[in-house]
Amino acid sequence: MEIFKGVHKKGNGLYTKGKNLEEWNPYKSKPAAAILLGLQNFPVKKGQKILYLGAAHGTTLSHFSNIVGDKGLIYGVEISAKIISNLVEKVKKKSNVVPLLEDARFPEKYGWIGNVDLIYEDIAQRDQVQILKRNKIFLKERGIIVITLKAKAIDSLKEVKEIYREAIKELSKDFEILEVLDLEPYEHDHLFIVGNMK
Ligand SMILES: C[S@@+](CC[C@H](N)C(=O)[O-])C[C@H]1O[C@@H](n2cnc3c(N)ncnc32)[C@H](O)[C@@H]1O
């Protein structure tokens, strides 16, 4: 059964379609977890241009690549040269992915990418909210943002709920928050937040 365009559910499993159906593991990929937890606003759509911050080895990014298809394009920003070499290998047959070895704190370094429909951020850093805000310059009008907020990376001592409250308050200054999901039991102390430009 296709539950969102390009996302299939068979039994308890989720899949996206590349050449074949590829299993989307909710323990390894936060959007898959969010979908299984009842996400309403699935942000990734065919033909989109996406800025993906914290691309890592491309586990999630390759599912996004399946969903956006040939007319879509994903810029995957990753700070680690070692990790990005795995990403490059993984996506070498995907014509719609451009890996970028950059620090997402400095969007001016990849300012040439132009406007995007969606910014997806999965970066476990203390300043993860500020990183997203810096990158909002790329968002089209009414463009969508997703941030997977890792509370313990922001502050390992403060109460998690307090970190969530402060982060949402900060994000709300720039974005209209559409949906907030706690990713338990797939990820501990993580929120999946979807919003759009105000
Ligand atoms: C949690 S992993 C991302 C997992 C990936 N999104 C997935 O689902 O397949 C976070 C990644 O962000 C990268 N990262 C950390 N700080 C960064 C920065 N300032 N700019 C870009 N990437 C960064 C890390 O090297 C790591 O690969």
Side-chain angles (χ1 to χ4, degrees), residues 63-110:
H63 288 287
F64 284 6
S65 155
N66 289 345
I67 297 166
V68 300
D70 292 342
K71 297 215 166 81
L73 188 61
I74 308 178
Y75 296 105
V77 176
E78 171 53 51
I79 198 171
S80 158
K82 196 166 168 207
I83 293 176
I84 210 169
S85 62
N86 295 334
L87 172 66
V88 169
E89 182 59 28
K90 185 167 178 111
V91 300
K92 68 181 179 201
K93 294 208 176 110
K94 290 184 178 286
S95 57
N96 63 1
V97 177
V98 180
L100 297 173
L101 177 59
E102 294 289 357
D103 183 340
R105 291 187 180 98
F106 304 106
E108 60 280 6
K109 296 260 185 73
Y110 44 91

Side-chain angles (χ1 to χ4, degrees), residues 12 14 23-34 36 186-187:
N12 292 328
L14 278 188
E23 189 166 7
W24 201 2
N25 184 335
Y27 290 96
K28 293 190 176 158
S29 181
K30 292 160 193 127
L36 292 179
Y186 300 103
E187 296 277 356

Side-chain angles (χ1 to χ4, degrees), residues 136-145 174-176 195-198:
K136 75 173 186 187
I137 49 169
F138 296 112
L139 261 193
K140 285 183 184 162
E141 207 181 326
R142 306 305 289 170
I144 305 280
I145 56 109
D174 296 79
F175 310 109
E176 180 190 355
N196 58 18
M197 269 304 249
K198 270 186 172 166

